[in-house]
Amino acid sequence: MDILIMKIGGSIQDKLPESFYKTIAHLQQTKKCYPVIVHGGGPMINDLLKKLDIPTTFINGLRVTTTEVLQVVEMVLSGSINNEIVTQCQIQQLQAIGLSGIDHGLLKVKPVQTTEAIGFVGEVTEVNTAFLMELLENNIIPVISPIGMDEMGQHYNINGDMAASAIAKALGGKLAFISNVPGVMKRKKNELKIYSSLTKGEAEQQIKDEIITDGMIPKVRSAIGSLSIQMKQAVILNGLEPEDIASYLKGNQVGTKFVYKEEAAYV
């Protein structure tokens, strides 16, 4: 049975239809996959920071995280959003447990290395896979907020896409970014076309050409960064069309797949 790591973007989390969670329930109950949910929360974090008059900025799609910003990020991610997703799972009779990357040493991190000051932003160095597998084997869905901790006990904000990528790579699972768009798109002959697949080189070229921009950059880089001989693909799927998840697990073409070695194609 496949392990399916789903990253739910903050821009779509409160827009997901009930059918999304029904689909997850069906996939687990019919033993099509072990679901793992990782979530973001950018819009809600932005709203609370604005209410508290705390400035927030981004560098290459990553939120500059001061001590003040980190406190708000933890409050939103590990509090309200995590609880809401767990609630929606349990409405569908799914056994779900809300976790942050700090719980049980789930996500160990180190500071992201950049040429610019970005504050307490971490990248995952180790995932407690034994703990996650114990939950999955007992039919419990982990719902993970992307907060991690280093060896000194310092907490870090982790980009949700990057956290999901690290978890998928560690578990050897399939990685799906659940978004409010059907994939990576490009205007072609006055029409928006979806790339059915992109390689690492092709995706990086799209970033360079500013076809892929803003918050889609870490999503795409996380997808291609997760690729290896053991993990040959990741995908961006439209969460507003939850049947796409089941279709993807059947091997059908949906969304944009990021592949280890293939040519890009349009739908």
Side-chain angles (χ1 to χ4, degrees), residues 31-62:
K31 301 191 181 301
K32 300 292 184 185
C33 71
Y34 288 115
V36 176
I37 295 174
V38 181
H39 64 82
M44 285 186 66
I45 293 168
N46 290 340
D47 288 346
L48 186 52
L49 287 171
K50 187 175 180 179
K51 287 176 184 175
L52 296 173
D53 198 26
I54 299 172
T56 185
T57 56
F58 291 83
I59 296 174
N60 294 325
L62 299 176

Side-chain angles (χ1 to χ4, degrees), residues 2-266:
D2 290 326
I3 299 174
L4 179 64
I5 295 84
M6 290 170 286
K7 163 51 176 41
I8 298 177
S11 60
I12 195 175
Q13 180 262 327
D14 60 349
K15 300 179 182 68
L16 288 172
E18 184 182 8
S19 55
F20 173 82
Y21 293 98
K22 285 183 181 293
T23 296
I24 302 309
H26 176 73
L27 290 171
Q28 187 194 49
Q29 289 159 6
T30 56
K31 301 191 181 301
K32 300 292 184 185
C33 71
Y34 288 115
V36 176
I37 295 174
V38 181
H39 64 82
M44 285 186 66
I45 293 168
N46 290 340
D47 288 346
L48 186 52
L49 287 171
K50 187 175 180 179
K51 287 176 184 175
L52 296 173
D53 198 26
I54 299 172
T56 185
T57 56
F58 291 83
I59 296 174
N60 294 325
L62 299 176
R63 186 186 300 275
V64 176
T65 306
T66 62
T67 300
E68 278 187 310
V69 171
L70 181 61
Q71 289 174 342
V72 173
V73 168
E74 289 202 63
M75 189 187 310
V76 173
L77 291 181
S78 300
S80 54
I81 292 180
N82 193 275
N83 287 338
E84 177 58 25
I85 294 173
V86 170
T87 298
Q88 292 302 319
C89 287
Q90 296 193 158
I91 287 172
Q92 300 303 325
Q93 308 302 310
L94 289 164
Q95 294 303 305
I97 183 169
L99 301 163
S100 80
I102 293 162
D103 296 317
H104 213 67
L106 182 56
L107 301 176
K108 294 182 180 177
V109 303
K110 66 178 182 180
V112 166
Q113 298 300 311
T114 67
T115 56
E116 300 175 80
I118 199 167
F120 297 108
V121 179
E123 61 179 293
V124 178
T125 58
E126 188 178 335
V127 177
N128 188 341
T129 54
F131 176 52
L132 286 178
M133 287 306 303
E134 185 177 347
L135 293 174
L136 295 175
E137 287 165 3
N138 283 281
N139 293 317
I140 298 170
I141 298 177
V143 179
I144 303 167
S145 70
I147 302 294
M149 187 170 69
D150 67 13
E151 293 178 350
M152 303 300 292
Q154 173 63 51
H155 292 194
Y156 286 84
N157 178 20
I158 311 167
N159 175 272
D161 299 327
M162 294 178 176
S165 172
I167 292 167
K169 204 166 185 177
L171 289 173
K174 292 185 175 181
L175 176 60
F177 295 97
I178 308 301
S179 185
N180 56 355
V181 295
V184 177
M185 295 179 286
K186 181 180 181 179
R187 188 166 293 281
K188 188 181 182 185
K189 295 181 180 178
N190 296 320
E191 237 182 303
L192 278 176
K193 296 289 185 179
I194 303 168
Y195 281 101
S196 59
S197 66
L198 286 169
T199 65
K200 178 177 180 179
E202 289 159 346
E204 288 290 358
Q205 188 61 48
Q206 300 288 339
I207 293 171
K208 185 178 178 181
D209 294 341
E210 297 186 350
I211 294 168
I212 297 171
T213 59
D214 302 324
M216 186 64 83
I217 293 175
K219 195 181 304 296
V220 169
R221 285 202 165 133
S222 297
I224 60 180
S226 69
L227 300 177
S228 66
I229 293 173
Q230 292 78 28
M231 186 172 165
K232 293 185 181 293
Q233 67 175 242
V235 66
I236 292 177
L237 296 174
N238 187 355
L240 302 178
E241 302 289 342
E243 62 272 13
D244 284 0
I245 299 172
S247 185
Y248 167 67
L249 288 172
K250 289 177 183 176
N252 298 330
Q253 174 54 54
V254 286
T256 299
K257 290 181 183 177
F258 297 88
V259 293
Y260 190 58
K261 281 186 181 179
E262 277 185 31
E263 294 302 316
Y266 295 105

